[in-house]
Amino acid sequence: MADSILMEFGSGRPGPPTALMTREVRWFHDGPLPPSVRDWFTTHNHETEQRVDYYDLASARNGIGKKRRGSTSLDIKFRVDVFPSTSLAPGIFGQVEDWMKISEPLGQSPNFELTEPFPVGKSLITRRIRLWDDDSGCEAELAEIAAAGMRAWSLCFETFGAHEKGEDALAAGVQLVMETPPPNGVVFDQEASLSYPDWIARLALQPT
């Protein structure tokens, strides 16, 4: 599987592209993003972005994250390991996953195709938490999502930098964001915790 994925990238260049390892956890909730959650998340420095990503639904059904990221890049992610029912903070549980991520600018990989394009509109708020001098840390992302005529929102923590620091980086990122508890009634539990490919595959099965 990894070899076939790598073959889609880097045509005409020596050697395969660089693959990055990340550790992450994500939760999805149906409906529009509550203002109370937005206010809770944006009390610290953050960046905002709006874009439409096109995922490959056929890949999502196989647990692979394959997408055209806005107008900038082509991304493929595949799951390396899963740690279900992980306690991340008091009352916060989720499915932690390790992923291999490969990304290249648009137009650089002519073999890259989306068999079943599935558009997902995103309004993103991101907090980048740098924890060590080697630029390793954790990125926290709050997203308001529109897909398949439905609205949802998501909270994600994803590590960057040295993967051997992934466990500590993820724990530190969650702890820093959750120092201020989420608004009353907002739950981040195992039931709501899944990856983008799994969420997209499940959403596509729902009647329209």
Side-chain angles (χ1 to χ4, degrees):
M1 178 66 74
D3 290 342
S4 63
I5 289 173
L6 287 169
M7 286 177 64
E8 301 193 40
F9 287 87
S11 295
R13 299 190 312 147
T18 301
L20 302 176
M21 293 290 296
T22 66
R23 177 162 291 190
E24 55 193 79
V25 61
R26 182 181 292 274
W27 297 268
F28 286 92
H29 292 81
D30 293 336
L33 176 65
S36 60
V37 175
R38 182 186 298 272
D39 292 344
W40 163 74
F41 190 79
T42 56
T43 54
H44 294 76
N45 291 337
H46 59 273
E47 298 180 355
T48 61
E49 179 186 5
Q50 292 189 346
R51 68 174 193 256
V52 178
D53 291 347
Y54 286 84
Y55 288 81
D56 184 53
L57 183 55
S59 297
R61 293 191 185 103
N62 290 315
I64 297 172
K66 181 179 179 181
K67 71 180 181 183
R68 189 178 78 207
R69 179 187 176 95
S71 60
T72 60
S73 67
L74 306 171
D75 296 351
I76 287 183
K77 294 172 68 174
F78 68 90
R79 207 164 2 223
V80 176
D81 212 343
V82 179
F83 308 92
S85 301
T86 302
S87 176
L88 297 153
I92 308 297
F93 293 86
Q95 178 161 293
V96 174
E97 301 175 332
D98 283 348
W99 291 78
M100 188 172 87
K101 180 178 181 180
I102 310 163
S103 181
E104 286 196 350
L106 278 173
Q108 193 160 301
S109 296
N111 295 330
F112 188 102
E113 295 181 358
L114 300 179
T115 305
E116 298 181 61
F118 188 89
V120 179
K122 301 176 181 179
S123 180
L124 305 169
I125 305 170
T126 304
R127 291 170 55 182
R128 191 171 177 85
I129 303 165
R130 185 170 175 267
L131 296 167
W132 293 282
D133 290 341
D134 63 353
D135 198 32
S136 296
C138 185
E139 189 170 271
E141 176 195 273
L142 182 66
E144 190 162 16
I145 305 164
M150 299 180 62
R151 297 178 70 186
W153 63 273
S154 172
L155 177 67
C156 176
F157 294 90
E158 179 178 340
T159 65
F160 57 87
H163 185 61
E164 61 269 19
K165 296 182 177 180
E167 182 176 358
D168 292 339
L170 186 68
V174 173
Q175 290 290 341
L176 285 170
V177 172
M178 297 295 179
E179 279 183 343
T180 302
N184 287 336
V186 177
V187 177
F188 298 108
D189 59 12
Q190 178 66 28
E191 184 177 354
S193 182
L194 66 166
S195 68
Y196 250 117
D198 294 336
W199 179 77
I200 287 169
R202 188 175 70 179
L203 182 64
L205 291 174
Q206 296 182 11
T208 56

